[in-house]
Amino acid sequence: MNAFTYIEPATIEEALATLVRHGEEAKLIAGGTGLVNLMKQRLVNPGCVVSLRRLAGLADVNLDDGKNLLIGALCTHRTLESSPIVREHAPLLAEAARRVATIRIRTMATLGGAVVHADPNQDLPPALIALDARVKLRSPKGEREVPIDQFFTGYYETVTQPDEIVTGIAIPPSARTTGSAYLKFLPQTADDYATVSVAARVALNNGTIADARVALGAAASTPLHARVVEDALRGQAPTRKTLEQAAALVGAIVDPIADFRGSVPYKRDMAIVFVRRALGDAIAAAGGAVI
Amino acid sequence: MEKAVMEGPRSIGQSAGHVEGPAKVTGRARYSADITLPGMLWGRALRSSFPHARIVSIDLSAARRVPGVHAVISGADLPEVRIGRFLRDIPVLARDRVRFIGEKVVAVAAETPDAADEALSLVDVEYEELPAVFDPIEAMAPDAPLIHEHPERYEHPPIPPIGGESRYHPFANVCSQSIYRRGDLAQGMATAERIFEHTFVVPPVHQGYIEPHACAAAIGPDGKIDIWISNKTPFIARRQLAAAFGVPEERVRVNPTSIGGDFGGKGSLMDSALCYFLARASRRPVRMVMNYTEELTAGNPRHSGVISLRTGVTRDGTIIAHQAKLIFNCGAYGAFIPLHFLHGSVHSAAGPYRIPHIEIESLRVYTNTVPRGHFRSPGAPQTTFAVESHMDMIAGELGMDPLEFRLRNVLVEGDESAMGERFHHIRCGETLTAAADAAKWNSPKPPNVGRGIGIYERAPGAFGTSGATLSLDRDGKLILITGAADTGTGSFTVLAQVVAEELQAPLADVIVCQGDTDTAEWEEGAGGSRLTHMAGRATLIAASEMKRALIELAARHFNCTSEQVQMRARRFIASDGRELDWKSLVAWAAEHEALPLTRSGSYVAAGHPDVTCYVAQVAEVEVDRETGQVRVRRMVSAHDVGTVINPLTHQGQIEGGLVQGLGQAMSEHLLLRDGAVTTAHLGDYKLPTAMDIPELTTVLVESQTGPGPFAGKSIGELSNVPPPAAIANAVFDAVGVRLTDLPITAEKIYTALRAMEKRN
Amino acid sequence: MKNIQVRVNGHPVAREIPDHRLLVDFLRYDLGLTGTKEGCSVGVCGACTVLLNGQPVSSCLALAVMADGGEVTTIEGLAEGDRLHPLQQAFIDYGGFQCGVCTPGQIMASKALLDANPHPTPAQIKEWMMGNLCRCTGYYKIIEAIQAAAAEKTEP
């Protein structure tokens, strides 16, 4: 790891000013599990590392008046998996967080880091897409919100500007008859990146699928929102055949890379299998049954 | 109760936690990377990024100017020596040529790792790339690039007469060739009614010890060279280091350290010779600690290979003839194995079967890849995967149950093995049956669930010399000094139990110290499942001598002859009824200046042991047909054992080995692309985790027949061998997919299942 | 360079360190607490597990400056004098280690587990401990050791 200057701003304004001052030399650090690994391999060599850890309030979990779930960027994966509020209002996010790496990573790694790192193999982004989350960003010019499925622009790339800090996530309330599931396919060992992962959320209405969200990890250069699957499900009865046909549509949109976790054709086939399974599990969680 | 008091405390057969436990659970145990000496520098190495290249020039000038850097050396700064555990073919730093990605070219010693890394980044090496070859079969082709131009110049000790005809460098790019023949293969094949031929592929895998190699070197003002090294055979390391340094052995002292896992991989010098040359150049103590990426890319992983088997049988399933051709990739150098060939591959190519006509050829072929080394029962896991899969495939073709086919062909008492060994107390069939019974071999199975079996045989290690020094101190404690390192197997604890048993002492009164190579008796060290047997015997001799000396002391005290004194329950009893307890004898001896009392033992192998050990395993798996994913639901491991000296550590060897075998079956694969290891960290090289282990049932088929002290056998290199075959056989049983290459991945099974569906 | 103040195993420690010092190197080479081991260096194997403010972390991925003002517990901080922590004793008694190099990390991770969940089921133990690789034991005896320590653990 190359030497750098470590700065710990006390306020968000100070942090933003530090980013502006150091420009491209600066990198933000939260839990550090991503950045430190990259720096140790000298893949990223910032002259200045700006820590967010002293910024008050950025690790909070709250519900606003509109029942939106507001989660600060510094909230750790461990908090996401164990927070009663998250577990009640976004069980999909809690489950995806629980499946991330190991307990040591989850105690350090943060929600903001997981989002801004934009690793298409990670677990939280598909869950956040399936939850219609919005990413809150702050810059010296002010605040903005970006729907999560417009946030990721490429492999490890996002819409975040060099002078911006991700401050948190907002998740709108789900209908009561909604169920969700997060499936992570780990055919090698229990501690691995997914060969494919699927987050699914299904809202039922009188025995039909009112709405659905499906997103995949490890399936493309960005976390993948499978709208084509959702469109095929809306208004349909949850039959095994419907799920199979809808899941099969994901085959045309996945664009995985071949690696030791699987070839492209295998990952494509597994995406189809796990979309179908996740939808089935989500329907069951919503109190429905696949017929 | 009365009887127990009469006999004194018994240690053999009792579960005892590791005697070095308190140091290990509190962080006090010192491993090589923990050694810090005043003025110590950090040594780091620049490694080749080319698989095969001529070194045109090296410019060290900019590196030497980095503040905090005390030495920068290249091969030109070193004497022209090559090192190795048997064949000495690897230079300490590359000279003129690099032969694999990761070969050390330049080394630096600096005050901080950062300064060392900065210096290395400023080294300018000009290479001229040469054609490279990565595959052992391609490397044997006539037009293949020559990896070693003058291998005949490499030195090695005389080749011992084991395993048939063996020779080094028989033809271009072949490091070693070994051929074993018995009977008449052609005649055997001609008599056979059916002949089956299958080829198997095994990938390179890493030992996966959690402690990367580390070492430290310091040169005293008197020229004494102190070495700390994560090496399981300190005395052999001393011999090799002295040869590399060009000094007499007594100038080198290898100091004891804890070893953070070995599994065969910690027998080489790795960086320690280089570390010394850095200490010499910088006139400061130097430490070198490999990082895990260096371990995976440039350590000494297991030989990968292609194994072709051809077996002739009668229609009723009796093996008549068997031919094995084993082509192993040994990487760029052959230096990392302690024998001239991969002995275990030849031995296990025959398996525990009665085979009248057999021919085995085992080759180790040079390629421009990471050099390969030993890994827990070296040669056997690869070969046993092939042999035990092959046996199942033959049974299947003959319409026989795989267990029945094996029981028909395995050795029974009175048989001579295919390798010409005559073992007594052969319990091969019993062990197979015990595994099958515990696994309910014939019970009904749910859909997509299958069972598979595998067997392996390995005799306790009986080679080299072991030594032990035992002292009685003024507190009445027994201090055992051994030259053996405990690599984690519990050998210190077993040796303490041997002393405690012989001298009827509580285990807590025995203190085991690993001596350095100046103070301990010569000890061949850990390896080949020899320590319990060999060091155990040496320790037992020292303990028996101590007992005799104590009885003589008591006789002096009683003023009688030693024949008139008996030791019972830690009391010395004269024939006239007078008694003296241990404490009083020690006090009397102290007064009469007889303490400390020291006795030594030395034990030399008496030849190949006449008993052996069998392990039979049954795996039960469930296959997800939609994904190809295999879940190993349960494993049964049945072992033919001698006296179990320490049930706790014995079971630990079985469990740990089995999970290593599981990893090699299911997830471990050191992937290479164009000679570069691409699974270069433990995130990509997949070791099993606590979530991945199956339910395990262990069965011990006991008998008091081992060659070790108190009739113990060996256990360390057995349970890791059959899992890949047992699991592959179980997968076939579950869904009809036969995999002939490891690891058993979900995708391979998925692809095979889809192909089967298309065919049907 | 930065001045940092950390409570290490209950003792206040102040040091001036380079900004990019890793916590594992700070512990091992600045403080001489070599009980914490470095295995994989990428946060996977768990050998370097320490507790930072009570939470298990990979000290090979943590910057020492990020521990400033905090509390670090290492394997050296568990025993009270000669009295081993129940987990330490259980790891010895139940054969929860062999070579011992992953053991400091295993014990720190399992301490964090029992602090969070004093009576874990075997499944919970496996899930929590899956990030601590052990190549010697095959994990069976580690799980037994943790269960045993949990059974003896008195309620606070």
Side-chain angles (χ1 to χ4, degrees):
Chain A
M1 186 157 51
N2 292 351
F4 53 76
T5 306
Y6 176 84
I7 301 173
E8 240 175 41
T11 64
I12 183 103
E13 291 76 14
E14 205 186 304
L16 289 166
T18 310
L19 276 188
V20 171
R21 196 162 58 242
H22 291 273
E24 297 207 331
E25 276 288 280
K27 272 280 173 195
L28 293 174
I29 192 168
T33 52
L35 182 64
V36 172
N37 247 337
L38 293 172
M39 292 193 298
K40 284 172 78 167
Q41 294 172 64
R42 294 191 166 85
L43 295 172
V44 177
N45 300 293
C48 168
V49 171
V50 184
S51 170
L52 303 177
R53 76 182 186 113
R54 299 230 183 261
L55 304 190
L58 276 197
D60 294 352
V61 179
N62 291 302
L63 277 185
D64 72 6
D65 298 343
K67 295 274 185 187
N68 290 292
L69 182 61
L70 307 178
I71 309 174
L74 293 187
C75 190
T76 64
H77 287 64
R78 178 72 179 139
T79 304
L80 294 178
E81 68 175 295
S82 50
S83 151
I85 303 179
V86 177
R87 288 165 70 129
E88 184 186 340
H89 295 274
L92 177 58
L93 183 59
E95 175 60 16
R98 190 178 74 84
R99 302 302 305 275
V100 170
T102 65
I103 188 72
R104 285 187 320 282
I105 301 300
R106 300 201 295 274
T107 59
M108 297 169 80
T110 63
L111 171 66
V115 168
V116 83
H117 192 44
D119 180 345
N121 302 307
Q122 285 200 349
D123 302 283
L124 295 195
L128 292 167
I129 291 172
L131 287 164
D132 296 333
R134 299 184 306 274
V135 183
K136 290 164 165 287
L137 295 130
R138 175 97 182 256
S139 76
K141 287 169 259 159
E143 284 189 303
R144 64 169 175 149
E145 277 193 4
V146 178
I148 185 90
D149 67 350
Q150 293 166 30
F151 183 77
F152 305 107
T153 55
Y155 199 59
Y156 291 93
E157 285 175 5
T158 71
V159 299
T160 314
Q161 296 299 304
D163 64 347
E164 277 184 314
I165 295 174
V166 170
T167 56
I169 291 286
I171 296 172
S174 289
R176 221 175 340 186
T177 53
T178 298
S180 64
Y182 181 72
L183 295 183
K184 185 174 185 181
F185 181 42
L186 296 172
Q188 298 196 99
T189 70
D191 178 19
D192 200 0
Y193 285 108
T195 294
V196 65
S197 65
V198 180
R201 192 165 60 102
V202 178
L204 298 177
N205 186 14
N206 291 329
T208 62
I209 298 170
D211 204 357
R213 291 288 179 279
V214 177
L216 294 90
S221 59
T222 61
L224 187 67
H225 187 176
R227 283 203 182 80
V228 57
V229 178
E230 299 168 359
D231 293 345
L233 291 168
R234 218 165 278 121
Q236 303 292 315
T239 65
R240 187 174 164 89
K241 192 157 184 215
T242 302
L243 298 194
E244 264 172 15
Q245 286 172 345
L249 298 172
V250 85
I253 60 164
V254 295
D255 182 20
I257 53 161
D259 60 14
F260 66 87
R261 293 180 181 93
S263 66
V264 169
Y266 182 63
K267 287 184 176 181
R268 180 178 296 126
D269 288 1
M270 290 307 102
I272 295 168
V273 169
F274 281 90
V275 165
R276 194 203 74 226
R277 288 183 179 184
L279 286 169
D281 288 359
I283 288 164
V290 179
I291 46 181
Chain B
M1 196 69 207
E2 188 74 328
K3 192 159 174 278
V5 171
M6 280 300 291
E7 289 178 355
R10 282 192 63 87
S11 271
I12 300 299
Q14 300 298 312
S15 281
H18 282 227
V19 292
E20 79 287 9
K24 283 183 174 171
V25 300
T26 55
R28 277 190 291 113
R30 283 205 313 171
Y31 298 77
S32 295
D34 302 336
I35 304 299
T36 295
L37 301 167
M40 191 169 226
L41 303 177
W42 289 85
R44 300 278 296 150
L46 181 72
R47 295 173 181 275
S48 166
S49 46
F50 292 100
H52 199 190
R54 197 171 68 80
I55 298 172
V56 178
S57 65
I58 301 179
D59 183 356
L60 304 176
S61 52
R64 289 193 166 124
R65 286 195 293 270
V66 173
V69 168
H70 290 253
V72 185
I73 56 175
S74 70
D77 301 306
L78 303 181
E80 252 187 88
V81 293
R82 287 171 185 266
I83 56 176
R85 296 179 70 180
F86 195 91
L87 178 68
R88 297 201 281 270
D89 68 351
I90 188 166
V92 175
L93 284 174
R95 295 180 83 94
D96 311 330
R97 223 209 261 215
V98 289
R99 295 182 174 85
F100 72 98
I101 293 172
E103 180 159 6
K104 288 169 277 190
V105 178
V106 170
V108 50
E111 286 166 23
T112 63
D114 287 344
D117 285 345
E118 192 189 339
L120 291 180
S121 74
L122 297 172
V123 170
D124 191 8
V125 184
E126 191 190 330
Y127 294 100
E128 178 195 319
E129 247 194 293
L130 298 170
V133 60
F134 310 118
D135 177 85
I137 293 170
E138 287 171 20
M140 288 192 288
D143 58 343
L146 197 59
I147 296 169
H148 293 268
E149 285 177 310
H150 294 290
E152 72 283 357
R153 294 181 189 165
Y154 301 153
E155 294 173 2
H156 57 80
I159 292 178
I162 48 166
E165 313 152 31
S166 297
R167 45 191 185 143
Y168 269 125
H169 309 119
F171 23 88
N173 286 342
V174 174
C175 178
S176 70
Q177 179 193 35
S178 189
I179 298 173
Y180 175 83
R181 289 189 190 91
R182 193 161 179 272
D184 183 336
L185 185 75
Q187 189 211 316
M189 287 294 180
T191 341
E193 290 167 304
R194 308 236 2 222
I195 295 175
F196 299 94
E197 191 165 355
H198 304 113
T199 296
F200 301 85
V201 177
V202 279
V205 292
H206 191 273
Q207 292 87 354
Y209 35 68
I210 301 300
E211 177 207 32
H213 274 88
C215 56
I219 307 166
D222 55 352
K224 186 90 180 183
I225 301 159
D226 270 301
I227 300 286
W228 291 260
I229 175 175
S230 45
N231 185 298
K232 61 175 178 170
T233 52
F235 282 86
I236 292 172
R238 178 180 70 169
R239 182 197 287 160
Q240 294 171 358
L241 286 166
F245 304 161
V247 302
E249 277 195 44
E250 60 270 20
R251 278 270 298 283
V252 180
R253 176 167 44 215
V254 176
N255 293 279
T257 62
S258 293
I259 293 174
D262 156 35
F263 319 121
K266 296 266 178 72
S268 82
L269 297 182
M270 207 50 77
D271 289 339
S272 56
L274 178 58
C275 195
Y276 158 78
F277 287 115
L278 281 173
R280 198 175 74 170
S282 63
R283 299 164 189 277
R284 299 268 287 266
V286 176
R287 75 153 66 87
M288 294 187 80
V289 181
M290 283 170 80
N291 63 42
Y292 220 97
T293 292
E294 292 179 297
E295 266 294 345
L296 289 166
T297 57
N300 61 154
R302 176 182 285 163
H303 293 70
S304 44
V306 179
I307 297 169
S308 300
L309 303 174
R310 198 165 148 251
T311 301
V313 296
T314 61
R315 227 176 286 283
D316 70 352
T318 304
I319 300 172
I320 304 287
H322 179 66
Q323 184 181 16
K325 178 147 188 174
L326 318 159
I327 301 172
F328 290 105
N329 187 340
C330 89
Y333 296 99
F336 292 87
I337 70 168
L339 290 169
H340 53 291
F341 73 117
L342 206 52
H343 179 238
S345 68
V346 174
H347 182 89
S348 49
Y353 299 104
R354 191 170 46 244
I355 308 173
H357 307 289
I358 191 162
E359 185 178 305
I360 300 163
E361 181 184 11
S362 178
L363 297 160
R364 290 168 66 231
V365 184
Y366 285 127
T367 63
N368 294 112
T369 63
V370 56
R372 311 304 163 82
H374 266 186
F375 182 2
R376 205 165 189 169
S377 37
Q382 302 98 311
T383 314
T384 299
F385 165 65
V387 170
E388 286 299 281
S389 297
H390 181 61
M391 293 300 163
D392 254 49
M393 292 158 88
I394 296 172
E397 290 288 331
L398 295 175
M400 286 178 74
D401 177 84
L403 172 66
E404 185 197 330
F405 176 73
R406 284 178 176 79
L407 286 172
R408 179 185 289 266
N409 287 290
V410 294
L411 299 175
V412 297
E413 194 71 30
D415 281 342
E416 197 172 77
S417 79
M419 303 302 293
E421 301 138 322
R422 274 221 174 265
F423 292 122
H424 303 294
H425 311 291
I426 291 175
R427 295 169 154 259
C428 190
E430 288 95 321
T431 310
L432 268 172
T433 309
D437 288 350
K440 299 193 170 65
W441 180 252
N442 288 316
S443 65
K445 290 164 285 200
N448 305 319
V449 169
R451 297 190 190 108
I453 198 161
I455 185 160
Y456 171 60
E457 171 268 319
R458 181 192 185 87
F463 55 91
T465 302
S466 279
T469 310
L470 183 63
S471 297
L472 177 70
D473 74 5
R474 301 175 75 90
D475 299 326
K477 302 268 192 209
L478 293 155
I479 296 144
L480 177 71
I481 297 179
T482 172
D486 185 333
T487 57
T489 56
S491 52
F492 288 171
T493 311
V494 162
L495 298 181
Q497 287 176 279
V498 168
V499 172
E501 181 77 13
E502 183 65 9
L503 290 163
Q504 303 166 7
L507 193 57
D509 281 4
V510 185
I511 296 161
V512 181
C513 295
Q514 185 189 341
D516 60 44
T517 53
D518 280 359
T519 51
E521 292 284 326
W522 166 271
E523 168 60 64
E524 190 87 12
S529 293
R530 67 178 293 283
L531 268 189
T532 296
H533 172 206
M534 301 294 297
R537 279 283 176 190
T539 299
L540 183 58
I541 291 167
S544 304
E545 292 293 323
M546 176 63 75
K547 185 174 175 180
R548 192 203 310 261
L550 290 172
I551 287 173
E552 279 167 11
L553 268 180
R556 262 173 70 195
H557 173 266
F558 292 133
N559 203 13
C560 64
T561 66
S562 48
E563 288 72 32
Q564 291 169 310
V565 179
Q566 281 192 315
M567 178 176 160
R568 263 191 311 208
R570 304 201 91 204
R571 297 180 73 80
F572 299 87
I573 302 156
S575 50
D576 59 9
R578 284 181 295 163
E579 283 193 26
L580 191 62
D581 66 15
W582 182 276
K583 242 177 138 174
S584 309
L585 178 69
V586 170
W588 183 85
E591 257 172 52
H592 291 76
E593 295 174 5
L595 293 185
L597 183 62
T598 298
R599 288 293 181 271
S600 303
S602 178
Y603 187 72
V604 185
H608 202 67
D610 61 356
V611 294
T612 191
C613 314
Y614 295 93
V615 51
Q617 290 177 346
V618 175
E620 185 176 292
V621 306
E622 182 171 9
V623 179
D624 181 337
R625 282 183 172 270
E626 265 194 339
T627 64
Q629 187 168 19
V630 177
R631 189 167 71 86
V632 181
R633 288 155 49 116
R634 185 177 176 211
M635 296 279 301
V636 173
S637 199
H639 293 263
D640 154 36
V641 300
T643 299
V644 176
I645 293 175
N646 185 335
L648 184 75
T649 57
H650 188 266
Q651 183 65 21
Q653 288 298 300
I654 293 172
E655 293 171 359
L658 184 128
V659 174
Q660 286 184 3
L662 177 83
Q664 288 138 27
M666 305 303 294
S667 61
E668 294 181 38
H669 190 170
L670 203 66
L671 280 161
L672 286 104
R673 193 169 51 223
D674 300 332
V677 172
T678 56
T679 48
H681 59 74
L682 284 184
D684 285 352
Y685 185 82
K686 306 309 295 182
L687 299 174
T689 77
M691 293 276 279
D692 300 309
I693 60 176
E695 183 192 323
L696 169 64
T697 305
T698 303
V699 186
L700 302 182
V701 180
E702 296 184 63
S703 67
Q704 274 68 52
T705 54
F710 307 100
K713 288 190 183 178
S714 58
I715 193 65
E717 298 180 274
L718 291 153
S719 66
N720 60 306
V721 177
I727 293 169
N729 291 339
V731 167
F732 179 79
D733 186 46
V735 292
V737 170
R738 170 60 64 181
L739 290 189
T740 54
D741 62 326
L742 293 175
I744 299 163
T745 66
E747 180 169 357
K748 288 178 192 170
I749 294 169
Y750 175 81
T751 306
L753 283 169
R754 294 298 86 87
M756 280 165 66
E757 277 169 13
K758 269 201 191 126
R759 277 199 304 274
N760 298 339
Chain C
M1 301 291 278
K2 288 273 183 303
N3 282 301
I4 64 165
Q5 297 190 2
V6 189
R7 279 186 84 80
V8 179
N9 298 329
H11 304 291
V13 170
R15 282 285 192 289
E16 189 184 34
I17 55 160
D19 294 26
H20 66 297
R21 198 82 168 133
L22 291 167
L23 181 57
V24 65
D25 293 331
F26 173 70
L27 293 168
R28 286 178 53 82
Y29 299 115
D30 294 336
L31 304 185
L33 294 172
T34 54
T36 300
K37 305 300 180 194
E38 182 163 9
C40 71
S41 306
V42 292
V44 169
C45 79
C48 70
T49 307
V50 299
L51 305 188
L52 176 58
N53 302 320
Q55 296 292 317
V57 300
S58 289
S59 61
C60 75
L61 290 187
L63 297 174
V65 285
M66 294 167 75
D68 185 24
E71 194 157 337
V72 175
T73 311
T74 72
I75 190 68
E76 289 92 344
L78 279 200
E80 289 175 27
D82 281 351
R83 247 177 71 98
L84 297 180
H85 184 278
L87 274 163
Q88 292 174 312
Q89 191 62 52
F91 268 69
I92 297 176
D93 294 345
Y94 289 84
F97 65 86
Q98 289 176 26
C99 85
V101 86
C102 74
T103 311
Q106 300 280 358
I107 292 177
M108 296 317 291
S110 48
K111 178 179 190 304
L113 167 62
L114 298 191
D115 288 348
N117 178 4
H119 299 291
T121 63
Q124 288 169 328
I125 293 174
K126 286 184 190 178
E127 192 177 336
W128 185 282
M129 298 301 294
M130 82 173 192
N132 287 80
L133 298 177
C134 171
R135 190 59 153 176
C136 292
T137 63
Y139 305 105
Y140 297 95
K141 296 198 180 303
I142 291 176
I143 296 162
E144 282 175 40
I146 296 170
Q147 282 180 291
E152 283 164 57
K153 200 174 160 75
T154 48
E155 300 294 333

